[in-house]
Amino acid sequence: MNVVVVESPAKAKTINKYLGSGYKVLASFGHVRDLPAKDGSVRPDDDFSMSWEVDSASSKRLGDIVKALKDSDGLILATDPDREGEAISWHVLEVLQQKKAIGKKPVQRVVFNAITKGAVLEAMSNPRDIDMPLVDAYLARRALDYLFGFTLSPVLWRKLPGARSAGRVQSVALRLVSDREAEIERFVREEYWTVAALLKTLRNDSFTARLVSVDGKKLAKLDIKNAEQAGQIKAMLDGAAFKAASVEAKPTKRNPGPPFTTSTLQQAASGQLGFSASRTMQVAQRLYEGMDLGGETAGLITYMRTDGVQMAPEAVQAARQTIGKVFGEKYVPEKPRYYATKAKNAQEAHEAIRPTDFNRHPKDVRKFLDADQARLYELIWKRAIASQMQAADIERTTVEIDAVNGSQSAQLRATGSVVRFDGFLGAYTDHREEEDTDEDGARLPEIRAGENLAREKIDTEQHSTEPPPRYSEATLIKKMEELGIGRPSTYAATLATLRDREYVSIEKRKLIPAAKGRLVTAFLENFFPRYVEYDFTAGLEEKLDEISDGKLKWKDVLRDFWTDFFGSVDGIKELRVTNVLDALNESLGPLVFPPREDGGDPRICQVCGTGTLSLKLGKYGAFVGCSNYPDCKFTRQLGGSETASENGGNGDEPKVLGKDPYTDEEISVRNGRFGPYVQRGDGKEAKRASLPKGWTVDGMDHEKALALLSLPRDVGQHPETGKMIAAGIGRYGPYITHDGAYANVDSIEDVFSIGINRAVTVLADKLSKGPRRGGGTPAALKQLGDHPDGGAITVRDGRYGPYVNWGKVNATLPKGKDPAAVTVEEALALISEKAGSKSARKPAAKKTATAKKPAAKKAAPKKAAAKKAS
């Protein structure tokens, strides 16, 4: 019997069915050890030696592997076929050797790009050793990230309070987002006009032509600058005679793109399905690891972390056969299509993402998948099929039109296209092509060269230039890939880090840098410019690729980096905070000093009239304050407008609304660094309440303030239990609560107006949606999918914060973890730890081992698990 180690329980469950009784497949649940999050885990002075730490959950799983090895013939490491997968196998082997669990038993490394029976059995018959250059590349990357973060982040904390951390790739990605925001702020709109004519042929067919030149001068986009110019041209065309000078029809071909890589899949899933990068990878992971297809278990797609664009020859042949059956033989090109990879390192450029079996049509497998899985599988299937289909035949027609009015003349152009043969477009259209719906896509009527055209109408239209758009997750990933920043396995994790650190927020799917994110970027650009340069970061990525290709020694790369980096950090330790603030005031002018409505100097304090505004640093981060402090106490949140900062008073000066009728204490509305709030009384015992979303300082009065300060409000006793129902405003909005059960209500106003009858109805509706345990079970915030042993895994919001639920097991999320960002692997780890500590398991379910909790106090040796980014 051989022991086989893979990353996940889902993968283990699928592979176990293929291999049979001669193998025992166990899951490592990602990495089994990591660098402890403390100083000294990487020691440059000791030839970059590293300390690794195993957490308690990983220690238990390694113990299971050790136990299984006692009666085995050998060990087979079958983790994923990339750098991270190679590193997991190396870590497992290192720990097992330290525990002397291997002895003289053979150790083999196998890799497969798809989890199908054929692919797995083929891999088992072609084992190899661990690829040490790939492991070296992992070690170098892990050490670089650790040294960058643990060396630079403390400098940030000292010089820029409120900053969370810096990261080798994350800081450069944040710079991209911040620089784009600065571009938008600097952008000055320009007015311009366009002129178009609605014309008619002798056969009474209408079409539109656009003005391209006047009196022989070609018009640029911004040449018609105002309504007066546009009006003069319109007057000339209103009296002109129109004639088709030439008609040219050109046949063109549009070729399909290659199958998906990691980044192009994330971009397409964002554009067409509305998925975030992390959601795309979560769903793709499930499709890869194996699905129950009505008695058969198989992976539906190949490995999803890849920068390769080529498909295996047998897959190309299978795609061509499917195209002939589904679309017809005319859609099959004479020769297979081959695509060239842009990846600089062949060892990390695997096969493109494709279906494992092209005969599994999306409509046939939809019944076995949830909605997101079905949509993503269909996208992957269509793109891969389209990549081997015939080109689309398109005829593009251009009509040049002369307009003559006496001595004046103008030229107009009408363009259109028609698809003569749809080719690959019959299977897949890129989302960017769908958005490109200008006049070129219109079909023109029959127009003959030399014929006269009748004028129906001349239109003029005003426009203004637009600033560059903010990045979405998809466009940021595309830009990072173009610049060579990061690699397929890091994109989703980098974006998640920026959100978790609250450096960016997402509104309408666009990335908006928070004030603290822009502060960090400006600080690094001013004092560590080399380490947020795009070329430097891309160059370091190339060196890491060369390590994995065996062309560079990993410790040599670390020495080169560390010598310069340590010198840069050491040279800034004595930098005064005032120097930092002066530099940031200049770099972030539009953010720190937004324009005043009265056109005055935005750096002059509007409260005292003599002080100069500047960035200040407080315990909780940066804010804008007056140089005349403490005589002038004006402050403003960074990024806030002047008028917003003065609503209701002079900066931090409270606006008195009246007195509490029962305590006779003063009630005031104030502006704090975390937003406006109301306060009753003074000192530590004063009661405070933040203004709810949608409420403004200007709109606050005595009555509203009293209502806010009275929360939570007693609604009345529940008719069945006799216990009080209360209403309040919490972390996730307005709610009512009774006997430990919570239910959301529609609006803030409901908190103050809801009566006992409606409250009882709302609570009953909430409880009817889920089983009752003690109080009511909160509704799921997020569905993560099914546990490997059956049963749904969900994220819920409870009385004491968000938690993961599976059956009777509830596991609280770590402090600061965004419930929306929880992955299946993280949830499995939390559930396993909780189930192990409480011996709580779902009835009739097998015991599962899972991952990742804080390091065990007596785990040997000390190691900390880090989940492989999913």
Side-chain angles (χ1 to χ4, degrees), residues 626-644:
C626 180
S627 59
N628 286 338
Y629 179 86
D631 295 329
C632 177
K633 295 182 179 179
F634 173 87
T635 62
R636 170 170 30 91
Q637 286 179 278
L638 187 59
S641 67
E642 293 292 340
T643 53

Side-chain angles (χ1 to χ4, degrees), residues 250-291:
K250 279 187 177 181
T252 61
K253 287 185 179 292
R254 182 187 297 175
N255 291 310
F260 285 128
T261 62
T262 300
S263 64
T264 55
L265 176 62
Q266 290 169 344
Q267 292 165 41
S270 173
Q272 299 189 48
L273 308 180
F275 287 3
S276 67
S278 58
R279 181 60 182 155
T280 300
M281 298 311 290
Q282 290 165 13
V283 177
Q285 182 92 28
R286 290 293 294 121
L287 294 174
Y288 164 70
E289 288 182 337
M291 310 296 297

Side-chain angles (χ1 to χ4, degrees), residues 64-75:
D64 292 339
I65 295 172
V66 170
K67 185 177 178 181
L69 280 171
K70 290 180 180 178
D71 301 318
S72 74
D73 299 320
L75 173 66

Side-chain angles (χ1 to χ4, degrees), residues 324-379:
K325 287 189 292 184
V326 175
F327 297 93
E329 289 301 325
K330 66 179 181 179
Y331 286 86
V332 182
E334 183 180 347
K335 296 179 180 179
R337 293 184 179 276
Y338 294 99
Y339 298 92
T341 180
K342 295 179 181 179
K344 298 179 177 65
N345 186 335
Q347 289 196 50
E348 291 194 277
H350 305 291
E351 192 179 357
I353 304 169
R354 61 165 176 86
T356 55
D357 185 347
F358 282 99
N359 288 320
R360 292 195 181 104
H361 195 282
K363 64 181 175 57
D364 297 328
V365 299
R366 186 175 292 121
K367 60 186 175 182
F368 302 113
L369 309 177
D370 66 29
D372 285 355
Q373 291 165 355
R375 294 167 72 202
L376 191 66
Y377 178 72
E378 182 176 20
L379 192 68

Side-chain angles (χ1 to χ4, degrees), residues 662-675:
Y662 300 101
T663 66
D664 202 39
E665 292 175 299
E666 194 173 77
I667 294 176
S668 58
V669 61
R670 303 166 182 244
N671 274 304
R673 289 176 197 162
F674 303 103

